[in-house]
């Protein structure tokens, strides 16, 4: 009994220490982080919606539904995907690593879950994002793709390199002498 209480107290202290290292993202910061972690733009609004519904964009979100059903971090990844106190689970990661500011390992695990189960793994995505109006992230600076720059007109193009410059000068000289002859 005493050992169980001490163990519970130790886990609470561990989690409270991890909370200090947590981050709550704004919508645009979250979009930037997801793009940095190679999330495809196609489903980015769905991911942002999922995270907003599951963890309110808080990296330290920790939910205990039952002693065996615990959910960790930004993506609220279930305890079957990680192992408390050491690496393990389907993602081979410690659950505590899902509660810090670094979302690289969280993202890798979330993508693995998505590949195996899709968005349906996350019940709040099913209830609050699927078929609903998704968050508007298009105004976020990092989401916008810079417009394609048109090519300059042919007569304005610059030839690059020494060899091309020499050829261009020769061409220009011949063109000038050709104009004089006419």
């Amino acid at each position: 009994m005493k050992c169980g209480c001490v163990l519970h107290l130790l886990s609470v202290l561990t989690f409270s220490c991890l909370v200090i290292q947590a981050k709550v993202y704004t919508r645009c910061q979250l979009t930037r982080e997801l793009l940095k972690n190679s999330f495809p733009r196609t489903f980015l609004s769905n991911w942002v919606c999922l995270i907003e519904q599951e963890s309110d964009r808080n990296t330290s979100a920790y939910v205990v539904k039952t002693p065996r059903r615990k959910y960790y971090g930004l993506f609220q990844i279930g305890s079957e995907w990680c192992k408390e106190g050491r690496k393990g689970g389907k993602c081979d990661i410690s659950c505590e690593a899902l509660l810090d500011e670094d979302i690289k390992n969280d993202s890798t695990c979330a993508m693995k879950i998505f590949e195996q189960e899709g968005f349906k793994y996350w019940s709040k995505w099913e209830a609050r994002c699927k078929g609903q109006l998704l968050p508007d992230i298009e105004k976020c600076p990092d989401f916008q793709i810079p417009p394609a720059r048109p090519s300059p007109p042919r007569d304005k193009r610059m030839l690059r390199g020494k060899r091309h410059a020499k050829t261009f000068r020769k061409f220009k000289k011949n063109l000038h002498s050709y104009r004089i002859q006419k």
Side-chain angles (χ1 to χ4, degrees):
M1 180 73 175
K2 281 185 179 182
C3 186
C5 289
V6 171
L7 188 60
H8 179 69
L9 180 63
L10 186 60
S11 68
V12 169
L13 288 173
T14 302
F15 285 127
S16 63
C17 288
L18 289 172
V19 170
I20 296 169
Q21 299 173 1
K23 179 164 178 78
V24 178
Y25 289 102
T26 66
R27 187 174 282 171
C28 288
Q29 286 172 334
L30 179 60
T31 300
R32 180 182 317 117
E33 286 300 311
L34 293 174
L35 287 169
K36 272 196 234 176
N37 284 286
S38 304
F39 279 78
R41 289 175 180 272
T42 312
F43 294 116
L44 205 56
S45 290
N46 281 281
W47 284 107
V48 170
C49 183
L50 175 142
I51 292 167
E52 287 179 351
Q53 298 305 319
E54 292 285 348
S55 66
D56 203 25
R57 299 187 305 257
N58 186 345
T59 61
S60 69
Y62 174 64
V63 175
V64 180
K65 292 194 176 177
T66 68
R68 291 183 182 225
R69 288 182 56 204
K70 299 174 185 174
Y71 297 87
Y72 301 87
L74 205 56
F75 297 96
Q76 287 297 280
I77 294 172
S79 50
E80 71 272 16
W81 295 91
C82 62
K83 190 82 170 166
E84 284 186 4
R86 60 186 167 92
K87 280 187 167 187
K90 295 177 184 177
C91 284
D92 193 34
I93 189 172
S94 75
C95 296
E96 294 80 8
L98 298 170
L99 297 172
D100 61 7
E101 277 187 42
D102 180 17
I103 68 163
K104 189 173 183 119
N105 47 15
D106 311 39
S107 299
T108 303
C109 188
M111 289 303 286
K112 185 174 186 174
I113 295 169
F114 178 73
E115 287 168 6
Q116 291 182 17
E117 301 191 32
F119 282 120
K120 69 180 193 280
Y121 171 80
W122 292 277
S123 59
K124 289 185 181 177
W125 178 86
E126 285 271 340
R128 299 180 185 161
C129 300
K130 183 180 179 183
Q132 304 294 321
L133 187 61
L134 295 171
D136 183 15
I137 58 171
E138 291 181 16
K139 292 182 178 116
C140 294
D142 293 316
F143 184 74
Q144 297 173 357
I145 302 169
R149 204 180 83 200
S151 296
R154 275 196 176 283
D155 60 334
K156 303 274 184 184
R157 290 185 187 163
M158 295 289 293
L159 296 173
R160 291 183 170 81
K162 289 181 181 179
R163 199 169 97 210
H164 291 296
K166 202 179 211 181
T167 307
F168 185 69
R169 279 195 296 271
K170 216 184 247 185
F171 171 75
K172 197 172 173 183
K173 184 178 176 186
N174 289 341
L175 182 63
H176 182 67
S177 62
Y178 177 74
R179 284 185 187 158
I180 293 173
Q181 290 173 1
K182 279 194 162 190

